[in-house]
Amino acid sequence: MIKYRKKYFPQMLPVPGFIYIIFILIIISACSTTDEERDYTYSISKAWWSDSLDSNTDGYVQQKTLNFSVLLIENVSRNINARVYYKRADGSSFSFYAYTLEKVVQGGNIENDLSIKIGKPNKELNRGMYDFLIEVYEINNSRMEASTEGIDSTILYNNAFESFGEDKTYEITSWWTDSFDGSNNGFWRYSRLNIDIDVDDGSSKIVDANILYRDSASTEYNSYYNFSGIEVNGITTADSVSLMVGKGLGELSHNIYDFKIELYEHETHQLVAYSDESDPNMNDIKFETEDEDTYYFSIVSVLWSDAVDSDGDGFMSSRKLTFNVDVDKPVECPLIAKFFIRDPDTSDYQIYDSTGIFNIYGATEIDEFTFTVGNSQVKLDSNYFDFLISVYEVDADTAGRAAAYISANFESTLADQQFETAEQDSI
């Protein structure tokens, strides 16, 4: 009998569980190096002020915009915002002022501009000289990425501010009138912007006013119209001015717009007041062009029915005329129709009759209108007649202008129609 020798192998020693946990954490840590954890290279390249508002022109502004550019060296895009701090020029430490809006900045060492208003609608600053400090942070990250601290920038030091109440001289009030919306879709074709400027100390001033507009999704305003040399006398509406927006000066395509009024002293061209989208009368105003606001109508079918020819001679004393009007937009439109007639001996059409108001909707056949020829006060002596149908919008702006028409010149159904009077048809 052969005996095999039993082999002995060294037994693996048990590994404590916490070592496995540490090992797993090391792997997770190594694999979870995300973009959020990377420390990208940011800097603030420059800062500047714009839109200084100094109503009493004493050198102390009630509001101006602090602008600055952020550079990101790595070729990535990151979501950031900035924290702005302020202090009295003779103070020892900065205090938090406000956050900027979030912004996605592009890397590659290009300039990404951010801005924030100092003064209304943020905290007003009482009369004095102020210094400012800017810090940049990635969203959801507490690590400061860049700062203006230590940068020798006279732009951020010794800025003169005062509160709205200390600076107030001018006040702008605006409202809209004479609005026209032919399609009744809430978008004006044109409307009158009225502007009243008051001087709170009752004095007389000469000012210029720039009217600007922008797509409400945009950040850049475009100039629309400039008023020059407006004479303002204290607090009264007698010196108000107005302009028609969307008509004459330039149409605005179908969109939602913000408007802005900038007021400058005429001699110095110093910005002294403005009204922007923070005023509900300047915010989210809907406009569209005349072409977009206009309906295009067409008479697409004409047919005769229910002829009355008692003597059987082919000349009718009565007959129904049915026609269908389409509009190029899916909307309901009230119309009236007029019927014109001519006999072969004349070249001009004469009015025969007209309808009351009837409604059509889009391009459907269920809104046909039927009119009876032969019941009018106008007698149709036995003859051949041509007809013309014209339709009109029930709208003061288009009164007298046909929206669509069709005549015997283009539609054979309306040409050489035989009619006679009821008396002639009864013989």
Side-chain angles (χ1 to χ4, degrees):
M1 182 175 183
I2 301 174
K3 293 184 178 180
Y4 293 91
R5 184 178 230 173
K6 187 175 181 180
K7 294 184 179 180
Y8 291 90
F9 296 92
Q11 186 175 4
M12 292 184 64
L13 296 176
V15 179
F18 76 90
I19 295 180
Y20 282 115
I21 294 173
I22 292 174
F23 179 70
I24 292 171
L25 290 176
I26 291 173
I27 293 175
I28 294 174
S29 176
C31 296
S32 63
T33 302
T34 64
D35 284 343
E36 284 75 17
E37 295 172 341
R38 291 189 59 181
D39 189 3
Y40 290 104
T41 311
Y42 292 86
S43 63
I44 299 174
S45 61
K46 62 181 178 180
W48 70 99
W49 295 96
S50 64
D51 302 324
S52 297
L53 182 56
D54 180 11
S55 291
N56 56 18
T57 64
D58 65 350
Y60 285 79
V61 301
Q62 60 172 279
Q63 178 197 91
K64 59 181 176 178
T65 301
L66 175 57
N67 309 275
F68 56 97
S69 290
V70 175
L71 299 180
L72 171 58
I73 292 181
E74 290 80 7
N75 193 22
V76 294
S77 62
R78 309 296 298 153
N79 197 13
I80 70 166
N81 71 353
R83 303 173 189 178
V84 178
Y85 300 84
Y86 77 108
K87 70 177 182 69
R88 288 271 188 171
D90 56 0
S92 58
S93 60
F94 284 95
S95 299
F96 176 75
Y97 181 77
Y99 293 99
T100 66
L101 296 176
E102 294 183 13
K103 181 180 179 68
V104 177
V105 297
Q106 303 300 322
N109 219 30
I110 65 173
E111 291 186 338
N112 299 272
D113 294 342
L114 288 84
S115 64
I116 186 172
K117 286 184 178 179
I118 307 299
K120 280 189 173 182
N122 295 313
K123 177 182 175 65
E124 293 185 56
L125 300 179
N126 293 327
R127 187 178 176 88
M129 306 299 292
Y130 292 87
D131 298 340
F132 294 88
L133 170 68
I134 305 168
E135 294 179 347
V136 173
Y137 291 81
E138 290 187 348
I139 300 302
N140 299 324
N141 195 327
S142 60
R143 181 180 60 239
M144 185 179 68
E145 303 293 350
S147 171
T148 56
E149 187 174 14
I151 298 176
D152 184 15
S153 173
T154 56
I155 297 296
L156 298 175
Y157 306 145
N158 294 316
N159 288 274
F161 278 88
E162 62 186 357
S163 68
F164 173 75
E166 293 167 319
D167 187 53
K168 181 181 177 183
T169 299
Y170 294 90
E171 184 173 346
I172 301 173
T173 304
S174 61
W175 67 99
W176 298 90
T177 58
D178 304 324
S179 304
F180 178 76
D181 175 13
S183 58
N184 295 311
N185 64 350
F187 287 76
W188 295 333
R189 183 188 307 180
Y190 56 80
S191 185
R192 183 175 298 281
L193 175 60
N194 304 275
I195 305 166
D196 179 47
I197 304 162
D198 290 332
V199 184
D200 63 357
D201 62 5
S203 62
S204 295
K205 302 281 188 179
I206 304 296
V207 297
D208 301 330
N210 292 343
I211 314 302
L212 304 102
Y213 73 102
R214 70 179 183 188
D215 173 345
S216 61
S218 174
T219 57
E220 298 294 329
Y221 280 97
N222 303 296
S223 178
Y224 189 78
Y225 185 76
N226 296 325
F227 287 99
S228 180
I230 304 171
E231 185 174 348
V232 181
N233 298 295
I235 302 175
T236 175
T237 58
D239 53 11
S240 62
V241 295
S242 68
L243 74 153
M244 190 64 78
V245 177
K247 183 179 182 180
L249 295 173
E251 293 185 308
L252 298 177
S253 60
H254 184 93
N255 215 327
I256 302 175
Y257 296 90
D258 295 333
F259 287 83
K260 184 177 183 180
I261 304 168
E262 294 181 340
L263 198 64
Y264 296 86
E265 287 207 339
H266 183 68
E267 294 297 329
T268 64
H269 203 64
Q270 169 72 43
L271 179 67
V272 291
Y274 70 83
S275 176
D276 59 11
E277 72 277 5
S278 59
D279 179 351
N281 288 327
M282 298 282 98
N283 179 245
D284 288 349
I285 310 298
K286 299 177 180 179
F287 275 94
E288 63 185 359
T289 64
E290 180 177 1
D291 186 63
E292 292 165 331
D293 189 51
T294 301
Y295 295 142
Y296 292 94
F297 298 88
S298 57
I299 301 173
V300 295
S301 64
V302 178
L303 58 91
W304 295 96
S305 64
D306 301 328
V308 176
D309 180 10
S310 299
D311 58 12
D313 63 355
F315 287 80
M316 276 70 66
S317 60
S318 176
R319 200 176 183 192
K320 289 183 178 179
L321 176 60
T322 300
F323 60 96
N324 178 251
V325 184
D326 285 347
V327 60
D328 66 336
K329 296 180 177 67
V331 292
E332 185 176 71
C333 296
L335 302 173
I336 62 171
K338 294 182 181 180
F339 300 91
F340 298 83
I341 192 170
R342 72 179 178 187
D343 62 50
D345 298 328
T346 62
S347 58
D348 295 329
Y349 284 94
Q350 304 295 322
I351 183 71
Y352 176 72
D353 209 343
S354 61
T355 70
I357 296 174
F358 62 97
N359 293 315
I360 67 165
Y361 184 87
T364 65
E365 296 181 359
I366 61 175
D367 52 13
E368 293 179 332
F369 188 87
T370 298
F371 176 79
T372 300
V373 177
N375 290 340
S376 172
Q377 298 298 318
V378 179
K379 300 297 183 180
L380 299 182
D381 196 18
S382 182
N383 210 332
Y384 292 81
F385 296 93
D386 294 337
F387 289 86
L388 181 151
I389 308 169
S390 61
V391 294
Y392 303 81
E393 293 182 75
V394 182
D395 189 319
D397 186 67
T398 57
R401 186 178 69 194
Y405 76 93
I406 190 169
S407 73
N409 295 341
F410 309 101
E411 175 58 54
S412 60
T413 307
L414 296 175
D416 294 334
Q417 298 299 308
Q418 297 167 265
F419 279 90
E420 62 185 1
T421 66
E423 293 78 13
Q424 290 169 332
D425 191 41
S426 63
I427 299 174

